[in-house]
Structure formats: C-alpha cells, structure tokens
Amino acid sequence: MRFVTAAAMLALVAAPVAAQTTRSISASDKAQGAQANPELVKQYGGRYTGPQAAFVERVGKRVAVQSGLSNAQGDFTVTTLNSPVENAFAIPGGYIYVTRQLLALMNSEAELASVLGHEVGHVAARHSQSRNTRSTIGSILAAGAGLLTGSNIATQLVGTGAQLYTLKYGRDQEYQADGLGIRYMTAAGYDPYASADMLASLAASSNLAARTAGKDANAIPTWASTHPNSADRVRRAAALAKQTGRPETTPPQDTAFLRMLDGLPYGDDPREGIVDGQTFRHPGLKLKFTAPGGYAIANGSDAVTVVGQGGQAEMRLAQGNDLGQAITQRFGQLGTGTPSGQLQNGTANGIPYAWVTTRAAANNRAVDATVVAYRFPSATYTFTLVTPAGSGIGPFQPLLASVAPLSTAEANAIRGKRVSIVTVKAGDTIDSLSARMAFPDYKRERFITLNGLDPEQALVPGRLVKLVVNG
C-alpha cells in the first residue's frame, strides 16, 4: 500500500482552509449516519449527558465547520458517549463521537479539538469507504462468526454502526487524518502543537492499559485498535504543527478546561454494570458472572458481550419467564428457524437455566449456535453463544456456571469513580498525590498518564492536577 509522503502531509496543512470547496452534507450521507447513529450510541453505553457534554459539543462543531463538509454548525451532531473505553470516531452525515473516558485523559481544550478534528478528517477523506475489514471487539458476534445462516443476522446482533464504522484504519489514513485535523483545529483558533501532545498521551495510556491488563506492552487496546499509533506519528504531528507557521510555545495550563472536567465519571458507570477483572456485576439487575480467562468483556447499553479465541457470547434481557419460550424467541430473532437441538436444563447458584444448541453456517463454515436462558426472580436473561462446530457450550461452561444473583449488600457496595480536580500545595509530590488515586495498583503510573506528566517532574504549587476518586 502506498503511504502519504511527508511532503504531501505538509502540503495538506499549508493549504488554506478557505481553498476547500464548501458544501452541505449530502442527503445520502445524512441518511447513512442517521441509520448507524443509534446502534453506535448503544454500543458505547449510551449518551453521556453531564455538564461536560455541552462543552464537547461546542468545540466539536467549531472544529467541524472548518472541514468543508458543511459551513453550518447545525449540520453536525457531536455526542459524548457514556463509555469507560478511550475512543473517538466520526461517521458520514456529520456525526462525531468521543467517550467520556478519552475526555478525562485530555488536559486542554486544544487537545480535545485535535481529537475531534482528526476524526472529522477521516470522514472528509472518506476513509470509511476503504477501511481494513478487521473488526474491533465492538463487533462482537458478527466479527468471529458472520453469523449463522449467512443472512442479515450480524446486523440484528450488533447493528450497522458497529460493522461499518468501528474498523481499523491504515497507517496512511491516520497520517492523512492527522494533517487534516491539524489544519481544522488551527483554522478554528487552537494551538496545533496540542495534537502531538494528545497523541503522546494516547500512546502512554494504551501502554499503561496493556500493562494493567497483564498483557505485553505491544498489545493493541481500545483507541489504538482502530487508530494505529507510534512515536513516529507524534513526531510527524509536531512537524505538521510547525508547518502552520505558528511558533511553538509553552502555553499556560488550561485551568478552565480542567475545572470543567471536575466530577466527570471515570471508568465503568455502575448504572450500566461494572467490569472488574474477569467478572461483570450489575447492581441494578442484581446479577454477576465471570468470563473465562483470556476472554474480554464489552459492556453496551443493551447487551454485554464476551469475546475470546474459543467463541463469542452476548447477554441480553428476554421477554417473559418461560425459559423454553425465551430460547425459541431468541433463535427467531437470529433468523435460524426452529433449532435442531434438544432443550436441556441446569441450575447455577440457585438460578434455573435451560439451553439449546443447533448447527449453523457462518462464512461457509459450520458453527454451533447456543441460546441459554436464565430465570431470575425479577427477569429472564439470555446468552447467545457462537463456538466452533462440535464445541457446543464447551469454552463457556465456566461462564454459565458462574451466573449468580447479586445480594443487596453486594449491589450497594458497588461505587463508581469520578475525576477530581485538586490544586497542588507546597510539599505535594507525584508520589503523595498519586497515593490518593482510587485504584489498588499502578497508582503512580495512572496519575502520571492522566496528567501528562514527566515521571520525574516536580509539581509547582498552584498547579491543577486530576485525581480519580471514589464517589
């Protein structure tokens, strides 16, 4: 694949925004975005509607109108997502997204502008038409299976948004979006050097996430899974910023932005359930389960998914309390018709359940599709499993056995975290402040990454820093 040359990238930034052809977003792009938007929002935990959302919307629209896609701010929809995953993306139709978790990593309004400008750049360059077809974890069952009958079942499971837009970009596309994003943010009045700062923070956060998950540092988590990042990208972004003609300075700390972040939820939202290691717990639904070792859990607003090499699973609410009927209804939703397997029954931690496995086809290969239904006192839930042919529930047996009710005491003990903005006092150090981080491990590393600090940096009294605290 041909990569965009450095000279070409510098030319992208040097070209004046006014030279672009200003146009309105096409009706077809608007329709495409409107169709995908609801599924994407659900996949990422729903909309975050706290006070920070309005700030993000203002910045996003201010940057987006510089793209030439439309000169009307009203043509753009900027959504903050209630997700504990660091990510941002945009889709045709003027839809721009950033998660609250990524917002928490930022240390200035200019860094926010750089991320939103970059994502708009992907849309302006129409990268979604030529993307790599490797799906992210968000594509859950559709990614590994295709699924079942070869019909539109994948769409029924994860929606068009997950399939079309949460896919991996190529390196040349990232370079191009970097250049476009820097152009847009500069035209909007922001410091272009913030782009390199943001990329460095994202790289540090991705490396830390890999370490805290017990993975090799070269693993590709969250934002990096769709936006390949490297030290080379940071250097290129700095060079692109220099080409704007703006001098590089040391801007004062953006205290207004940091104070705006105060109180922002951090990590899992207890109202949507929390992921703690391999265990998912939902205080509202009063249930919990543990995923097999090596499997990942993705929590959406209407489903929880578990993904690993041996198969994939999706848990969601069912109708009624008859287990057999719930299983039949779920197979009907999947478009498989009447399942060929026999209904089997079991009990897990006092909760009755039943399951049926049937043989199906996915991408011209055989798979086992299993629907498991659990009857809790207040509701019925189903797990839809897809495993290699002949495996049945095999790799998910430990998960199915772990499903259990959550006691009132356990539910009440689940507390969320939030960002707290504090002022450095005389005598405060990275070590003393990081000790207040609401995590059992990597406190110092988390504090340094969250605040974009050098590990040996001395903190100056009066400076604002971010802490993650309980409550």
Side-chain angles (χ1 to χ4, degrees), residues 47-127:
R47 300 177 190 275
Y48 172 69
T49 57
Q52 296 84 6
F55 185 97
V56 172
E57 182 178 24
R58 288 195 298 272
V59 175
K61 290 186 174 184
R62 176 178 168 182
V63 173
V65 293
Q66 306 299 326
S67 67
L69 291 170
S70 173
N71 60 357
Q73 289 196 6
D75 273 353
F76 296 95
T77 301
V78 184
T79 302
T80 304
L81 298 167
N82 187 33
S83 172
V85 173
E86 291 174 356
N87 213 341
F89 46 91
I91 64 174
Y95 292 87
I96 309 165
Y97 310 86
V98 63
T99 63
R100 58 173 171 78
Q101 193 77 355
L102 182 53
L103 181 63
L105 182 65
M106 300 171 186
N107 286 289
S108 70
E109 184 176 336
E111 290 185 357
L112 171 61
S114 76
V115 168
L116 298 175
H118 175 97
E119 299 307 330
V120 173
H122 280 303
V123 175
R126 306 197 71 83
H127 288 160

Side-chain angles (χ1 to χ4, degrees), residues 17 32 34 44 65 84 127 135 174 193 206 231 236 247 262-263 278 329 346 355 383-384 415 431 437 456:
V17 175
Q32 187 180 17
Y44 280 88
V65 293
H127 288 160
S135 299
E174 286 301 284
Y193 293 93
S206 293
R236 283 173 175 265
D262 193 48
Q278 294 298 111
Q329 288 177 344
W355 77 94
F383 275 93
T384 304
R415 301 175 62 192
D431 287 336
M437 295 281 282
E456 305 305 321

